[in-house]
């Protein structure tokens, strides 16, 4: 569930950035700049998350962090970074839902790229550590393919596109609507989509905590080696 929502939220951005900037009335130059920001953010996030998650396995946490620690043995298990990604994703789409400035849009896009990038190294590493490395390729491709397909279909197709199309229909009733120009203009074109993704990202906090607790023994054994 966590990977489906976080990956789906990322594909909402990659598939619709151009329409988002157009709907908000921003300069056309912002579209390639936003794509570059998103790509750079998710690329850097992949590298930094992999490094940080490896170092965090050896951290000594205070007792009150037991919900993300290894059951009193210290260290931060890798699934905790999915919890962090869920928080970043929720924040990014909330920013995108309420912003009406180019600066705010760029900030939201960057945060969304960070959240999207955090998912991929965690899928590889957690799959290998939980299910073993013998069939890691097949296991990873299941999670990769399933989460990408379902997340894209659910959020990019059924949510973002439906909300966008609904606002086009509403604009057709406006006196100034140009027949044949089936495009949506205004902050409402994607606002509800971003709010839905943000709320779904918050539910990923619960599923991430569940994954942390269910894999606690795996990371306890890893720390004791």
């Amino acid at each position: 569930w966590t990977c489906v929502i976080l990956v789906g939220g990322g594909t909402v951005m990659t598939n619709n950035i151009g329409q988002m900037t157009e709907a908000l009335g921003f300069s056309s130059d912002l579209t390639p700049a936003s794509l570059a920001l998103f790509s750079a953010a998710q690329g850097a996030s992949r590298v930094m998350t992999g490094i940080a998650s490896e170092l965090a396995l050896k951290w000594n946490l205070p007792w009150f962090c037991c919900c993300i620690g290894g059951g009193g043995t210290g260290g931060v298990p890798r699934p905790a970074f999915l919890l962090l990604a869920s928080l970043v994703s929720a924040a990014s789409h909330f920013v995108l839902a309420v912003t009406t400035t180019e600066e705010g849009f760029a900030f939201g896009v960057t945060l969304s790229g960070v959240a999207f990038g955090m998912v991929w190294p965690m899928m590889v590493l957690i799959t290998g550590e939980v299910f073993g490395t013998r069939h890691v390729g097949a296991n990873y491709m299941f999670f990769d393919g399933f989460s990408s397909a379902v997340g894209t279909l659910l959020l990019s197709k059924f949510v973002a596109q439906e909300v966008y199309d609904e606002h086009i229909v509403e604009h057709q009733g406006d006196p100034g609507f140009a027949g044949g120009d089936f495009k949506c203009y205004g902050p409402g074109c994607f606002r509800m989509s971003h709010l839905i993704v943000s709320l779904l990202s918050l539910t990923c906090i619960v599923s991430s905590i569940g994954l942390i607790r269910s894999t606690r023994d795996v990371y306890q054994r890893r720390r004791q080696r």
Side-chain angles (χ1 to χ4, degrees):
W1 174 255
T2 302
C3 292
V4 166
I5 298 303
L6 297 183
V7 171
T11 57
V12 167
M13 298 303 301
T14 57
N15 291 344
N16 298 285
I17 281 183
Q19 290 173 306
M20 290 177 187
T21 57
E22 183 180 59
L24 291 169
F26 296 150
S27 168
S28 59
D29 293 337
L30 187 62
T31 299
S34 297
L35 284 170
L37 271 175
F38 184 88
S39 298
Q42 67 99 7
S45 179
R46 292 184 189 216
V47 175
M48 297 306 297
T49 301
I51 295 172
S53 68
E54 188 66 30
L55 295 174
L57 290 170
K58 302 175 183 178
W59 290 350
N60 290 314
L61 296 178
W63 64 269
F64 52 81
C65 293
C66 60
C67 64
I68 63 170
T73 64
V76 178
R78 292 196 204 274
F81 284 83
L82 291 177
L83 189 155
L84 178 59
S86 301
L87 290 171
V88 175
S89 177
S92 69
H93 285 278
F94 180 77
V95 170
L96 290 167
V98 300
T99 189
T100 55
T101 65
E102 293 186 358
E103 293 79 6
F105 183 79
F107 179 63
V109 167
T110 303
L111 284 180
S112 181
V114 170
F116 185 62
M118 291 179 73
V119 180
W120 301 104
M122 292 300 95
M123 276 202 289
V124 177
L125 295 169
I126 293 171
T127 298
E129 289 167 347
V130 173
F131 299 106
T133 57
R134 184 175 180 180
H135 301 292
V136 67
N139 289 333
Y140 167 70
M141 286 308 300
F142 171 77
F143 288 102
D144 183 346
F146 180 80
S147 62
S148 297
V150 176
T152 300
L153 183 66
L154 175 65
L155 297 181
S156 192
K157 171 69 174 176
F158 292 143
V159 174
Q161 184 174 323
E162 289 298 323
V163 171
Y164 186 87
D165 290 346
E166 181 180 338
H167 281 78
I168 291 177
V169 173
E170 290 179 357
H171 288 150
Q172 284 182 307
D174 295 343
F177 179 81
D181 184 17
F182 293 98
K183 294 181 180 180
C184 182
Y185 300 99
C189 299
F190 287 97
R191 176 171 291 163
M192 183 56 65
S193 299
H194 288 308
L195 289 175
I196 290 172
V197 175
S198 182
L199 290 173
L200 288 174
S201 296
L202 291 176
T203 69
C204 294
I205 295 174
V206 178
S207 59
S208 296
I209 291 175
L211 182 60
I212 291 170
R213 299 183 70 85
S214 64
T215 59
R216 179 172 291 174
D217 291 343
V218 173
Y219 292 98
Q220 283 182 351
R221 290 193 298 268
R222 179 181 174 86
R223 182 175 172 82
Q224 291 167 359
R225 289 176 185 173

